[in-house]
Each structure stands twice: as structure tokens, then as C-alpha cells.
């Protein structure tokens, strides 16, 4: 079974399974199809994380193919760009300096080389064919187009600079209609080249040249050397137990695993202390645990190859017990009381939606389990396209601290450990996750939605561990708190009594209705697979009977 944000992409992955491919083959084909079907979210110009269970070895693998900072990246460079155009579009969000060295192709190639069984060409062809034939326009693409037009309204210079992208999204001068087919012959050409020449074409070949050209024309520093030096990294997954299950998830440069472990450990410690009574207490406790975890995220997390990240301490029971003791049942507290010590904070911005990322899950007949979250970061990434290959380049540099003291696109305030530096990888919230019971995988999931990824994965996981049916767990409104801004977010109707109770305890609510998009597969004891794509979005799981 494959569950992804696009029915067309899930079908392409399921066809690979049907043809005898394994979960890794299917994940590659689905990912490439998503690059075509969800160009606003993921693609060759982005990066991601794979967390997988290899049934034959009963082992886990965590692969990091996150973007890295170009050699010339620095806070001074961003500062200078801001000074040149104060009030203009942020240089870590739009244009050449927003682009991190893409890891996506290196990641998929490594997955194919180490774990795949089908030829690379065979896995790319269906995506190239989809690009040639045209994707079916859905609401998600139209939302992305609207968002771009909003940006253009705010900074009219974007219209001229990214005219090609705007034209592609406006065939005949206006918005395409839902259900209409939108072709992408440039991307079809790029994919076919990648199929013929192999991944080398992307890092040291015609695609690399096109990328460097596009980045330079948009004012960026990305060089051919940056691409040539890009490497994927194997990481040690984070593993922790909760409610009788073992949870295996992504370590730095993701913050997901550390935050989820910290929250679950705090919940367990607080429950052991007693005095948690009913739904309202549980919601308050979740928010308090999130405030602690996101405060620690801000202070300590970043690329562990560059900064000293105390993963052991933050995910330890002792740390959670100490934090749990500070939680007051009757009242939430001021931001500086969360986490270990108070990090510096800046003004809080409003976080955007889930459009620049996509998560897919695959489970195959041999019991291999794949969780793959990929991203170009913001909707339509940096807006820079490497022509004539239709490769939309990421704006992952905004996940770094590029200007100390200033929150990023998601309103995240972050610390020293995540300050931009050459070759460093920006801190992520992507949380591909696998849950085991008695040593056997029972649930695989992940999400898109910036920091809401962490809270969405957590809440769907906690609900299913509690016995809530998967579809109901997916549909339930979700709470979100990321410590800064000091506000509770929720993405659906909350019972009035719950909201009033939380307000009485001092929580302040935001009116924004941003959301995350989850994909999940549950593996029942008899081997039956139950897939679910978030009802808030446009995905669909496809199974092979
Ligand atoms: O890695 C991260 O945490 C972000 N780049 C994810 C962005 C996201 O989920 C969707 N954004 N619109």
C-alpha cells in the first residue's frame, strides 16, 4: 500500500508494488510522481528524510538528504541583502540566496542503490509520462497559485522575475480549472535526462549547469562545486517508548524526533505524578509539554555535525521528569519558564500552511516499511526554476537562522545551533515515524506543515495508540503550540467548554486555521493494511489487493 498527497502518485507507487518492486522502489516512483503532481511541495530541487524498516534485517535506517548551505552562505550575506532592500521580499525565502544545495536526487539514488530492486529508469518513466500527459489540477495547486499571486501583489517585482512560473500556472492567462490537465514538458525533459544519464546528471552534468545558472541569475551563490560536494548522510534514528510501544523517528537535523520524545516523556512523567483528570487536563498537559519541547528546540537544536546538540539529555526521562515537575495544572506560565533555560526571543510572525512539503508511506508484501518526508520548504520554494528542465528550486535556507533574533517563515524562533554556515543543514520539523508493538511495525506516518508536522504526527499517533480508529484520529481537530508565538493554534472546531477551560488556565488562542497534512498506514495483527490520507487535503492511499 502507498499513501501520499496525490492519488495519481499513490497509484504510480502501487503499480510498482504490483509489478514486483519493493517498498523502496515504490517510494522512489511515488516521490518522483509527487514531484510532478505536487510541484508546489516537493521535487528534484528539494530534499528530505527517509525512515525505513528493513524486514529482512529487522533493522531501521534513517537517511538524511536534506539540503546543505552553499559554501558562500553567511548571516552577513543575508544582512547585506536586507539592507539593500528593506521591506522587500526576504532573501532567505525568495530568489537565489534562498536555495540550499538540493539533496533529493542524491537521496533517491542512494535509496535505489542500497535498498531498491528495480532499475532506476523504470521508476522515473511513469513520472516523466505524467509530466508529459499533464497532472490533474486540484484545489491544492490552485491554493499555491493564489499564494503566489498574493506575494506578487505585495512585491510586484516578483511578477517579472518569476514570469515563467506564473505563466505556467496561468495557461491562457487565467487560473486552470479543477480537473483540467496541466502539462509540464520541461520537467518531463529533465526527468528523462535523469533517467538516461543517472543521478550524476544532477550533480555534475547538464542539470547541474542549469541549476547553477538559474541560481546565479536570481542573485544566489550556489556553485557547481556546491553541487559536486553534496553527500547524503546516514543517521542514528531516535528511539523511545511510550504506552507500551516503541517509537522510531528522525534525529537531527530534524527536530521532530527530539521534540516528540520530549513531549511523550513529559506526558508519561506527568501522568505518573497523578492529578491528570479527563480531556481538559490532557489538552492542557499536551500544550505545556509542547511549550517545553519547542523551547528546547529553539535553544538547542540544529545540525549535530556543526553544533553540540544534547540529544541524549533532551530525550532522557530525567529531563522530562524535571520539566514535568514545573507544570502547573491550574495555569499556563510565561514563555521564559519553558525548556531548560530561556533562549532569546524575537517578535512572533504568523506561520504559513502545509503546502511546501509532502509525506508518503509505503508498506510492501515482505514487511518493509518506508516513511519519506520531502520538501522544497515554502509553497513553490524559492520560485526559481532551473530551465529548460522545469526544476523548481527550494527555499530551505529559511529554515536556518539567517538573521539572529528574527523568526522564520513559520514564526519559529531558533538559536545559535541553527545559525547558517557553509555546508551546514538547516533544522527541520519533518518527522517520518514508525511505531512498533512487541518489536513489530504497527503504524507508519508523517506529515507536511512546518512545525505543525510535529504536533500532527504526535496527535495522530497518540490517538491511535489510545485505540481511536485511524480515520477518526486523522480527522480530529488538532492543537498546536510552538512556544513562540505564545498562542494556541487549532485547525478545527473545538468544544466550547474545552476552549473556555484552557482560556481559564491562561492559554491565549490564535484565530488562524493553519493545518498539517498527514499520511499514514496501519498494519493490523493479521497483516491487513489500513491507509489514510489527511481528510483536510487532497491525497489518497492506494492498496494492491
Ligand atoms: O523541514 C521543515 O521543517 C520545513 N522545510 C517544512 C516545510 C513544510 O512542511 C511546509 N511548508 N509550507
Amino acid at each position: 500500500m502507498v499513501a501520499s498527497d496525490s492519488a495519481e502518485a499513490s497509484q504510480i507507487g502501487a503499480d510498482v508494488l504490483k509489478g514486483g518492486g519493493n517498498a523502496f522502489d515504490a517510494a522512489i516512483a511515488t516521490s518522483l510522481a509527487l514531484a510532478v503532481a505536487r510541484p508546489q511541495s516537493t521535487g528534484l530541487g528539494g530534499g528530505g528524510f527517509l525512515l525505513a524498516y528493513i524486514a529482512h534485517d529487522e533493522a531501521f535506517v534513517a537517511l538524511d538528504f536534506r539540503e546543505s548551505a552553499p559554501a558562500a552562505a553567511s548571516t552577513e550575506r543575508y544582512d547585506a541583502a536586507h539592507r539593500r532592500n528593506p521591506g522587500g521580499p526576504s532573501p532567505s525565502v525568495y530568489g537565489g540566496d534562498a536555495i540550499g544545495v538540493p539533496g533529493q536526487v542524491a537521496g533517491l539514488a542512494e535509496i535505489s542503490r542500497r535498498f531498491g530492486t528495480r532499475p532506476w529508469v523504470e521508476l522515473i518513466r511513469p513520472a516523466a509520462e505524467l509530466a508529459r500527459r499533464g497532472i490533474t489540477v486540484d484545489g491544492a495547486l490552485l491554493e499555491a497559485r493564489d499564494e503566489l499571486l498574493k506575494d506578487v501583489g505585495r512585491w510586484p517585482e516578483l511578477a517579472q522575475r518569476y514570469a515563467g512560473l506564473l505563466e505556467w500556472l496561468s495557461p491562457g492567462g487565467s487560473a486552470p480549472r479543477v480537473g483540467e490537465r496541466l502539462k509540464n514538458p520541461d520537467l518531463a525533459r529533465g526527468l528523462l535526462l535523469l533517467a538516461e544519464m543517472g543521478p550524476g546528471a544532477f550533480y555534475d552534468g547538464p542539470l547541474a549547469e542549469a541549476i547553477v545558472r538559474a541560481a546565479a541569475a536570481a542573485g544566489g551563490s550556489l556553485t557547481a562545486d556546491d553541487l559536486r560536494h553534496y553527500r547524503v548522510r546516514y543517521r542514528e534514528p531516535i528511539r523511545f517508548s511510550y504506552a507500551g510501544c516503541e517509537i522510531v523517528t528522525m534525529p537531527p537535523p530534524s527536530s521532530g524526533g527530539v521534540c516528540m520524545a520530549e513531549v511523550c516523556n513529559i506526558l508519561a512523567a506527568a501522568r505518573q505524578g497523578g492529578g491528570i483528570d479527563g480531556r481538559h487536563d490532557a489538552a492542557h498537559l499536551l500544550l505545556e509539554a509542547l511549550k517545553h519541547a519547542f523551547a528546547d528546540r529553539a535553544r538547542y537544536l540544529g545540525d549535530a555535525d556543526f553544533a553540540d546538540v544534547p540529544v541524549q539529555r533532551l530525550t532522557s526521562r530525567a529531563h522530562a521528569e524535571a520539566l514535568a515537575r514545573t507544570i502547573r495544572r491550574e495555569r499556563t506560565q510565561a514563555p521564559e519558564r519553558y525548556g531548560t533555560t530561556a533562549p532569546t526571543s524575537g517578535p512572533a510572525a504568523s506561520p504559513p500552511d502545509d503546502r511546501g512539503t509532502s509525506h508518503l508511506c509505503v508498506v510492501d508484501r515482505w514487511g518493509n516499511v518506508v516513511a519519506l518526508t520531502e520538501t522544497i520548504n515554502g509553497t513553490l520554494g524559492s520560485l526559481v526554476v532551473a530551465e529548460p528542465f522545469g526544476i523548481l528550486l527550494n527555499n530551505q535556507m529559511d529554515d536556518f537562522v539567517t538573521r539572529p533574533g528574527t523568526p522564520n517563515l513559520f514564526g519559529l524562533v531558533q538559536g545559535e545551533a541553527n545559525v547558517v554556515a557553509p555546508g551546514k543543514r538547516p533544522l527541520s520539523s519533518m518527522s517520518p515515524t514508525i511505531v512498533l508493538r512487541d518489536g513489530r511495525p504497527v503504524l507508519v506516518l508523517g506529515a507536511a506543515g512546518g512545525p505543525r508536522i510535529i504536533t500532527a504526527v504526535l496527535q495522530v499517533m497518540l490517538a491511535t495508540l489510545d485505540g481511536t480508529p485511524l480515520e477518526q484520529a486523522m480527522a480530529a481537530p488538532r492543537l498546536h503550540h510552538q512556544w513562540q508565538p505564545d498562542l494556541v493554534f487549532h485547525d478545527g472546531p473545538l468544544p466550547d467548554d474545552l476552549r473556555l477551560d484552557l482560556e481559564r488556565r491562561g492559554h491565549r488562542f490564535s484565530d488562524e486555521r493553519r493545518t498539517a497534512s498527514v499520511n499514514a498506514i496501519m498494519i493490523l495483527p493479521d497483516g491487513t493494511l489500513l491507509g489514510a490520507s489527511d481528510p483536510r487535503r487532497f491525497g489518497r492511499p492506494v492498496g494492491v489487493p
Side-chain angles (χ1 to χ4, degrees):
M1 175 174 279
V2 181
S4 86
D5 278 332
S6 146
E8 281 165 311
S10 296
Q11 185 62 56
I12 284 173
D15 288 344
V16 170
L17 293 176
K18 211 187 306 177
N22 68 12
F24 296 94
D25 298 316
I28 295 167
T30 307
S31 160
L32 290 163
L34 281 170
V36 178
R38 297 269 314 201
Q40 69 274 29
S41 308
T42 178
L44 307 183
F49 298 135
L50 166 100
L51 181 83
Y53 175 74
I54 303 153
H56 177 267
D57 305 333
E58 295 183 13
F60 283 90
V61 60
L63 186 66
D64 161 6
F65 48 100
R66 180 92 168 144
E67 294 86 339
S68 60
S74 67
T75 50
E76 292 77 22
R77 199 178 159 96
Y78 288 102
D79 233 27
H82 268 285
R83 275 200 306 271
R84 275 197 303 277
N85 188 9
S90 164
S92 62
V93 178
Y94 306 89
D97 279 329
I99 307 167
V101 185
Q104 182 79 5
V105 172
L108 297 184
E110 178 67 7
I111 296 167
S112 170
R113 189 185 71 77
R114 272 283 297 272
F115 310 107
T117 61
R118 313 301 296 186
W120 176 247
V121 189
E122 214 177 272
L123 304 176
I124 300 187
R125 216 178 279 129
E129 179 53 25
L130 182 61
R132 196 191 58 76
R133 218 177 51 239
I135 55 171
T136 311
V137 172
D138 63 8
L141 191 72
L142 296 183
E143 285 173 13
R145 183 181 179 276
D146 286 348
E147 209 172 302
L148 176 59
L149 291 179
K150 226 188 284 161
D151 288 347
V152 166
R154 184 158 174 213
W155 299 291
E157 68 255 44
L158 295 180
Q160 205 182 353
R161 228 178 285 160
Y162 305 108
L165 187 58
L166 267 170
E167 271 165 36
W168 178 64
L169 286 168
S170 312
S174 55
R177 281 187 312 276
V178 168
E180 193 175 304
R181 283 208 170 263
L182 190 62
K183 296 181 184 177
N184 195 340
D186 287 356
L187 185 54
R189 188 179 312 126
L191 286 164
L192 286 175
L193 205 64
L194 196 62
E196 281 160 28
M197 296 182 66
F202 193 91
Y203 291 97
D204 195 4
L207 297 178
E209 282 161 28
I211 291 165
V212 172
R213 212 170 34 238
S221 71
L222 189 96
T223 64
D225 266 352
D226 288 326
L227 281 165
R228 254 195 305 272
H229 291 144
Y230 185 84
R231 295 288 177 274
V232 301
R233 301 250 183 267
Y234 284 91
R235 306 286 183 194
E236 200 52 51
I238 294 209
R239 304 174 79 133
F240 62 96
S241 16
Y242 184 77
C245 287
E246 191 185 6
I247 290 126
V248 186
T249 180
M250 200 67 203
S254 174
S255 60
V258 172
C259 285
M260 290 202 293
E262 199 169 324
V263 170
C264 287
N265 287 340
I266 293 173
L267 296 183
R271 284 185 186 281
Q272 215 162 31
I276 309 298
D277 188 15
R279 201 162 44 95
H280 296 186
D281 273 1
H284 172 65
L285 175 59
L286 175 67
L287 293 171
E288 295 300 288
L290 286 170
K291 288 171 80 169
H292 276 306
F294 274 89
D296 275 345
R297 181 195 195 278
R299 183 158 181 88
Y300 293 109
L301 298 192
D303 182 346
D305 291 344
F306 285 73
D308 188 15
V309 182
V311 172
Q312 294 295 350
R313 185 170 70 75
L314 296 178
T315 58
S316 71
R317 299 227 178 224
H319 181 57
E321 280 159 13
L323 294 180
R325 277 195 294 273
T326 70
I327 293 175
R328 291 164 56 188
R329 184 182 180 193
E330 72 288 358
R331 191 113 197 120
T332 192
Q333 304 174 61
E336 57 274 12
R337 306 195 75 113
Y338 291 85
T340 315
T341 335
T344 49
S345 79
S350 61
D353 215 332
D354 68 319
R355 296 193 259 276
T357 304
S358 207
H359 176 81
L360 68 96
C361 310
V362 190
V363 180
D364 70 18
R365 72 189 81 171
W366 298 284
N368 297 307
V369 180
V370 169
L372 178 56
T373 315
E374 354 179 87
T375 181
I376 54 172
N377 193 32
T379 309
L380 297 162
S382 62
L383 308 182
V384 179
V385 181
E387 301 292 8
F389 302 114
I391 299 172
L392 192 46
L393 297 165
N394 69 81
N395 59 354
Q396 219 68 245
M397 296 301 282
D398 191 66
D399 274 351
F400 278 120
V401 173
T402 53
R403 298 180 73 214
T406 315
N408 77 355
L409 192 59
F410 299 101
L412 287 167
V413 173
Q414 313 187 84
E416 194 60 39
N418 191 32
V419 172
V420 65
K424 193 172 174 178
R425 299 181 183 207
L427 185 61
S428 173
S429 297
M430 293 188 291
S431 310
T433 299
I434 297 174
V435 180
L436 308 176
R437 186 170 275 139
D438 303 324
R440 227 176 39 84
V442 291
L443 176 69
V444 49
L445 77 169
R452 280 168 181 67
I453 291 173
I454 299 172
T455 37
V457 169
L458 248 173
Q459 284 166 88
V460 171
M461 181 177 88
L462 292 175
T464 53
L465 293 184
D466 251 359
T468 308
L470 182 58
E471 263 185 71
Q472 214 173 307
M474 293 278 259
R478 295 191 280 254
L479 292 170
H480 176 76
H481 204 305
Q482 59 185 46
W483 176 68
Q484 291 284 15
D486 187 15
L487 291 169
V488 178
F489 296 86
H490 63 99
D491 66 356
L494 280 190
D496 284 346
D497 57 336
L498 174 61
R499 182 174 173 141
L500 279 174
D501 183 328
L502 290 172
E503 279 171 345
R504 233 183 340 256
R505 298 186 209 216
H507 294 284
R508 287 182 308 128
F509 280 77
S510 164
D511 291 331
E512 273 177 1
R513 291 293 169 270
R514 309 286 182 175
T515 193
S517 167
V518 180
N519 279 287
I521 300 176
M522 213 168 189
I523 308 161
L524 303 185
D526 68 354
T528 305
L529 302 179
L530 249 181
S533 294
D534 206 303
R536 295 160 183 76
R537 308 303 291 163
F538 302 86
R540 203 182 70 198
V542 175
V544 182

